Amino acid sequence: MSGGLSGVPGFEQLSHIPLYVPGKPIQEVQRELGLAHIVKLASNENPWGPTEAVKARVAAVVAGTEFEGLGLYPVSDGFYLRQRIAQRKQLPVEQVVLGNGSTEILEMIAKAAFLDGGSAVIPKHSFAMYGIATQTAGGRVIESRASATELDVEDILRSVAADTRLVYLAHPNNPTGIRIEGSALRHLVRHLREDIVLVVDQAYAEYEEPGDYPDAAALLGERPNLLVLHTFSKIHALAGLRIGYGLGSPELLSLLERVRSPFNTNHLAQAAAEVALQDVAFEAFCRQKNAEARTAFLLEAAQHRCKVTGASGNFLLMETAFPAPDLFKELLQRGVIVRPMHGYGLPNHLRVTLGRPEDMQTFWSAVTPLLDGGC
Ligand SMILES: Cc1ncc(COP(=O)(O)O)c(C=O)c1O
C-alpha cells in the first residue's frame, strides 16, 4: 500500500480482500454516457413498488406525525417491526433481529463468530458479501464445491475444518438461482457440527410458491445455531431504505445483540417495512409478475439458443459465447445495465434481473444484435 497508511498493522491484509462491486446506478450511467433512458436490470430490485400505502407511511414519518419526527433517534431494536415479523412468522419477538439490510446481519454474525479467528465454509458462486464479511471480521474462507446448476450439501459438510465457525448458504442462491431440496436442507441442519452457526440466507424466498418452498425457519427448533435471513429489499421493494431481518434462537440473537450497532435501522425503514409486511396481496402480485417474466425470458432465450440457469429468485443467469464484461459494456452503451458474473467464477455469464415487460423488451432489443445470431 502507498501513503501514510502503509504501516498500520492489518491494513495490508485488508487491501487483499475483494471489494464488493454493486450494480451500476442509473444516474452514473446517465452521467457517463449522456443517455436519457436507462433500464436497470442489475441489482435484483423489484420494479413494481413500493406501494402507495408504504409511501404514505414514509411521508407521515417525514412530516413528524409518526415516530415523533426525524430529529429523534429511532427505536433502537425496532421492537414494533420485530413484533409484526414475529407475528407473521409465529415466533416470539426474541427470535427476531433487524439489520440495515440483511447484509448488516451477515456482517454482525461474522463479527461475533470471528472475534478470535476461525473459518467459514461458503459454496462456490455464492453472494459476494459472505466472503467479504468473513474476511473483514478476521475469518478465513473455505470454498466448498458447487456448480452453476447444483449446490453440494455433502461437500459443505466435508469442507468443515476444526476452526470452522460459520457456514453460509443462500437458498435460493444468488447468482445461480438454484435452491436446495427440503431433504438436503434438513440433512445439513442435522449433520453440521453443533458448534457451527448455519446461516441460511432466504433473500429471495418470497418469490417461491408458498407451500412449495422448504423454509429453514421451520427447523429453528432443531438447531440453536441456525440463523435465517430475510430482506425487505426484494419482493417488498424497499432496497433504498436498507432493512432486513434475521430469525434465530433467543440464545444466538442475544449474543448478536452485543455486536449490533445501536439504532442500526432508521425510522423510515422501520415504518415502511411494517406496512410492506402486511401487504400479502402485493407480494402475490409481484410473485406472479416475476413468474410471467421468467417464462417470457426463457422463451426468448430459447429462440436465441441461450443457455439459462436458475429457476428461483427474480433474476436469471444467461451464458453466452462472449466474455461477460464485454457484453456488459456493449449493453451499457445501449442504455441497459445488467451484471457480468466474472467476479463470481462465471466468466461468460450475465445475471439479468426480471423487470417489467417493457424493460425486458428493451433488454432483448439491445442484446439480440450483439449475439451474432445466437448465444
Ligand atoms: C443472496 C442475497 N443475500 C442478501 C442480499 C442483500 O440484501 P440486503 O439489501 O437486505 O442487504 C442480497 C442482495 O442482492 C442477496 O442477493
Side-chain angles (χ1 to χ4, degrees), residues 20 43-44 100-104 106 127 129-130 170-174 201-204 229-234 239 242-245 315 351:
Y20 182 76
S43 300
N44 302 343
N100 194 266
S102 52
T103 300
E104 193 198 20
L106 293 172
F127 182 46
M129 280 310 299
Y130 304 155
H171 169 60
N173 186 45
N174 168 22
D201 180 352
Q202 302 194 156
Y204 301 96
L229 301 185
H230 284 267
T231 180
F232 284 94
S233 301
K234 308 300 174 185
R242 313 301 303 125
I243 186 148
Y245 61 97
F315 55 88
R351 195 194 64 198

Side-chain angles (χ1 to χ4, degrees), residues 35 82 85 103 110 148 155 172 176 219 222 250 291 321 324:
L35 297 171
R82 284 171 55 230
I85 294 167
T103 300
D155 199 63
T176 54
L219 303 171
E222 291 193 24

Side-chain angles (χ1 to χ4, degrees), residues 66-195:
E66 287 230 25
F67 284 112
E68 293 149 15
L70 298 183
L72 301 188
Y73 283 106
V75 178
S76 178
D77 65 353
F79 177 79
Y80 300 100
L81 173 59
R82 284 171 55 230
Q83 206 171 37
R84 286 191 193 264
I85 294 167
Q87 265 164 12
R88 178 140 181 211
K89 297 288 170 183
Q90 296 183 310
L91 288 167
V93 72
E94 295 74 31
Q95 293 201 242
V96 184
V97 63
L98 300 182
N100 194 266
S102 52
T103 300
E104 193 198 20
I105 311 177
L106 293 172
E107 291 172 337
M108 277 158 59
I109 189 65
K111 200 169 165 184
F114 303 123
L115 213 53
D116 60 353
S119 63
V121 173
I122 304 174
K124 194 175 168 69
H125 311 308
S126 287
F127 182 46
M129 280 310 299
Y130 304 155
I132 295 172
T134 298
Q135 292 178 80
T136 51
R140 180 170 60 88
V141 172
I142 300 174
E143 189 175 80
S144 74
R145 222 172 47 197
S147 70
T149 53
E150 217 171 339
L151 277 159
D152 186 340
V153 165
E154 288 303 337
D155 199 63
I156 293 176
L157 290 168
R158 267 195 302 273
S159 302
V160 162
D163 72 348
T164 296
R165 308 271 164 84
L166 283 185
V167 168
Y168 288 103
L169 178 74
H171 169 60
N173 186 45
N174 168 22
T176 54
I178 48 174
R179 64 170 167 91
I180 58 172
E181 296 298 325
S183 54
L185 183 64
R186 283 192 295 279
H187 183 71
L188 184 61
V189 166
R190 289 171 189 163
H191 290 88
L192 184 66
R193 226 171 56 214
E194 278 176 17
D195 62 345

Side-chain angles (χ1 to χ4, degrees), residues 132-341:
I132 295 172
T134 298
Q135 292 178 80
T136 51
R140 180 170 60 88
V141 172
I142 300 174
E143 189 175 80
S144 74
R145 222 172 47 197
S147 70
T149 53
E150 217 171 339
L151 277 159
D152 186 340
V153 165
E154 288 303 337
D155 199 63
I156 293 176
L157 290 168
R158 267 195 302 273
S159 302
V160 162
D163 72 348
T164 296
R165 308 271 164 84
L166 283 185
V167 168
Y168 288 103
L169 178 74
H171 169 60
N173 186 45
N174 168 22
T176 54
I178 48 174
R179 64 170 167 91
I180 58 172
E181 296 298 325
S183 54
L185 183 64
R186 283 192 295 279
H187 183 71
L188 184 61
V189 166
R190 289 171 189 163
H191 290 88
L192 184 66
R193 226 171 56 214
E194 278 176 17
D195 62 345
I196 296 172
V197 178
L198 173 60
V199 180
V200 182
D201 180 352
Q202 302 194 156
Y204 301 96
E206 295 83 359
Y207 283 105
E208 301 288 301
E209 275 308 316
D212 182 36
Y213 174 72
D215 185 348
L219 303 171
L220 282 169
E222 291 193 24
R223 185 182 179 90
N225 279 335
L226 171 63
L227 183 62
V228 181
L229 301 185
H230 284 267
T231 180
F232 284 94
S233 301
K234 308 300 174 185
I235 211 157
H236 298 295
L238 293 177
L241 285 180
R242 313 301 303 125
I243 186 148
Y245 61 97
L247 309 171
S249 64
E251 304 93 285
L252 181 64
L253 296 200
S254 68
L255 287 173
L256 271 195
E257 203 50 22
R258 289 172 159 69
V259 290
R260 186 179 65 79
S261 289
F263 316 107
N264 61 327
T265 63
N266 66 70
H267 283 316
L268 301 178
Q270 289 179 23
E274 277 184 27
V275 179
L277 191 68
Q278 291 175 76
D279 199 342
V280 286
F282 177 67
E283 263 183 62
F285 166 81
C286 295
R287 193 159 44 241
Q288 174 64 25
K289 288 289 176 196
N290 189 62
E292 287 167 16
R294 173 180 302 282
T295 304
F297 193 99
L298 292 175
L299 276 174
E300 194 76 39
Q303 280 175 20
H304 293 90
R305 299 187 305 282
C306 294
K307 201 167 143 199
V308 173
T309 305
S312 297
N314 62 346
F315 55 88
L316 283 163
L317 199 56
M318 183 168 123
E319 189 174 355
T320 76
F322 314 98
D326 297 350
L327 207 47
F328 162 74
K329 277 187 210 134
E330 290 294 336
L331 284 170
L332 215 52
Q333 298 293 331
R334 291 158 176 80
V336 178
I337 319 174
V338 293
R339 208 67 168 267
M341 286 290 130

